[in-house]
Amino acid sequence: MLPRPQTKIFLDSANPQDTKVVLDLLGFLDGQTTNPSLIVKVLGENVKVSESEMLEFYKTNVQKIANLIPQGSVSIEVYADDTTSPEDIYHQATTLSQWIPNAHIKFPTIPNALLAAEKFLADGGRANFTLVFTQAQALAIHLLATSCGVNKGQVFVSPFVGRLDDIGQNGVDLLQNIQRMYQELNSPVEILGASIRNLNHLQYCLDINLDIVTLPLTVIQQWIDQPSISYVPQPLTPIPYENLDYSVSWQDVNIDHPLTTKGLLKFAADWKSCLN
Ligand code: G3P
């Protein structure tokens, strides 16, 4: 068994079979993250169901995962596209959070979802803000969370490392930049490294004592085989630290990013692809 790192280890999968495999491999698991694309993968290719059957399938799998890691956090994502209203997202969040006792509801980092999350957090809900690609988005989430008086552990921010690498930017720099900003702000928001593709990404997260990292099963299997590697800097464009204005309200921060829009539409398309 590997020594348990300071960084909390989550599994990035909607499949409870994967949860069992990881518990056998690691002997622990601090949480699990799911999303629309991951649950469609569990359903299987070319299977068509109604929307209510799909939601029931998502709920069953999330409940199996929650039973396997009752002390851990399980992230469940709302459905949203560019037309979904804040009221609809809020309604989904309250419904999904009743599926299990240990849910964090995933909100895409778009204006309508942040409006929904503001009410949800004020009610005491737990949230994981996803599809984060900029330090400004992370600032908006901090400002929103603190305006709702959240506690430590109630809110996660999920920067997508691999997808920044995909466009030639050094995704791990964003983790370090958000960590530095959150330290300056003494933020209650925890940073959850997502879109982790390889051991080098993982090692970086462990080296900087990131709060949480979510790993696909393949990366956990590689980690078992190579428990200790050295982080190797990659030939990618550095992402510079930004000195942002902390005195504004979250609505005044520009949270646009093309990869957030693209990721949102991909999650929506995957979800719809299995509906009849
Ligand atoms: O944790 C987010 C993850 O599921 C997305 O990963 O590899 O599709 O960028 P990826």
Side-chain angles (χ1 to χ4, degrees):
M1 297 283 176
L2 291 171
R4 198 166 180 158
Q6 184 174 321
T7 301
K8 283 180 247 166
I9 304 295
F10 285 16
L11 170 66
D12 197 22
S13 164
N15 191 338
Q17 296 304 328
D18 291 351
T19 319
K20 286 186 189 157
V21 172
V22 171
L23 284 170
D24 280 347
L25 284 173
L26 292 180
F28 69 88
L29 185 61
D30 299 304
Q32 191 152 334
T33 49
T34 72
N35 65 42
S37 305
L38 291 172
I39 191 64
V40 168
K41 207 169 132 189
V42 183
L43 185 71
E45 266 178 49
N46 303 322
V47 180
K48 299 279 179 201
V49 292
S50 68
E51 182 145 36
S52 60
E53 286 169 332
M54 191 60 202
L55 279 167
E56 202 51 40
F57 182 74
Y58 196 2
K59 180 179 177 179
T60 303
N61 280 280
V62 159
Q63 288 178 337
K64 286 183 188 166
I65 293 166
N67 283 335
L68 289 164
I69 47 168
Q71 312 303 328
S73 150
V74 183
S75 286
I76 316 170
E77 189 156 340
V78 297
Y79 171 88
D81 58 30
D82 45 358
T83 65
T84 315
S85 69
E87 293 74 25
D88 182 342
I89 297 172
Y90 173 77
H91 177 71
Q92 289 184 60
T94 54
T95 305
L96 301 181
S97 64
Q98 285 157 19
W99 284 0
I100 51 171
N102 49 343
H104 273 84
I105 302 304
K106 270 173 111 173
F107 292 86
T109 305
I110 56 169
N112 280 359
L114 266 57
L115 283 167
E118 189 172 36
K119 190 159 155 37
F120 183 70
L121 291 175
D123 294 345
R126 304 196 303 168
N128 175 359
F129 291 90
T130 190
L131 292 167
V132 168
F133 295 96
T134 68
Q135 199 186 317
Q137 290 175 325
L139 174 62
I141 291 158
H142 162 84
L143 295 169
L144 169 67
T146 49
S147 75
C148 296
V150 305
N151 301 315
K152 187 127 187 120
Q154 193 180 340
V155 178
F156 303 152
V157 61
S158 291
F160 272 37
V161 174
R163 293 193 194 181
L164 283 166
D165 286 10
D166 290 343
I167 59 163
Q169 297 186 15
N170 195 24
V172 294
D173 286 349
L174 180 63
L175 298 176
Q176 192 178 47
N177 294 344
I178 297 174
Q179 187 186 57
R180 176 175 158 190
M181 178 175 71
Y182 278 10
Q183 277 164 358
E184 279 176 22
L185 287 161
N186 195 19
S187 181
V189 178
E190 292 190 320
I191 308 168
L192 189 165
S195 182
I196 298 295
R197 305 273 178 76
N198 51 52
L199 286 182
N200 207 42
H201 286 154
L202 168 61
Q203 193 59 49
Y204 188 91
C205 295
L206 300 181
D207 287 351
I208 66 166
N209 287 325
L210 199 72
D211 299 306
I212 310 166
V213 64
T214 189
L215 306 171
L217 179 58
T218 48
V219 173
I220 292 181
Q221 286 164 332
Q222 289 165 25
W223 191 27
I224 293 286
D225 292 338
Q226 288 174 268
S228 175
I229 64 157
S230 293
Y231 171 74
V232 179
Q234 299 298 299
L236 292 161
T237 306
I239 303 173
Y241 183 78
E242 294 174 84
N243 288 301
L244 299 173
D245 181 0
Y246 299 158
S247 67
V248 295
S249 68
W250 72 263
Q251 291 94 336
D252 297 325
V253 181
N254 179 359
I255 59 165
D256 293 341
H257 193 279
L259 289 182
T260 303
T261 312
K262 191 177 167 190
L264 180 81
L265 296 179
K266 174 78 169 82
F267 282 153
D270 284 348
W271 178 259
K272 284 190 170 159
S273 70
C274 64
L275 301 184
N276 54 25

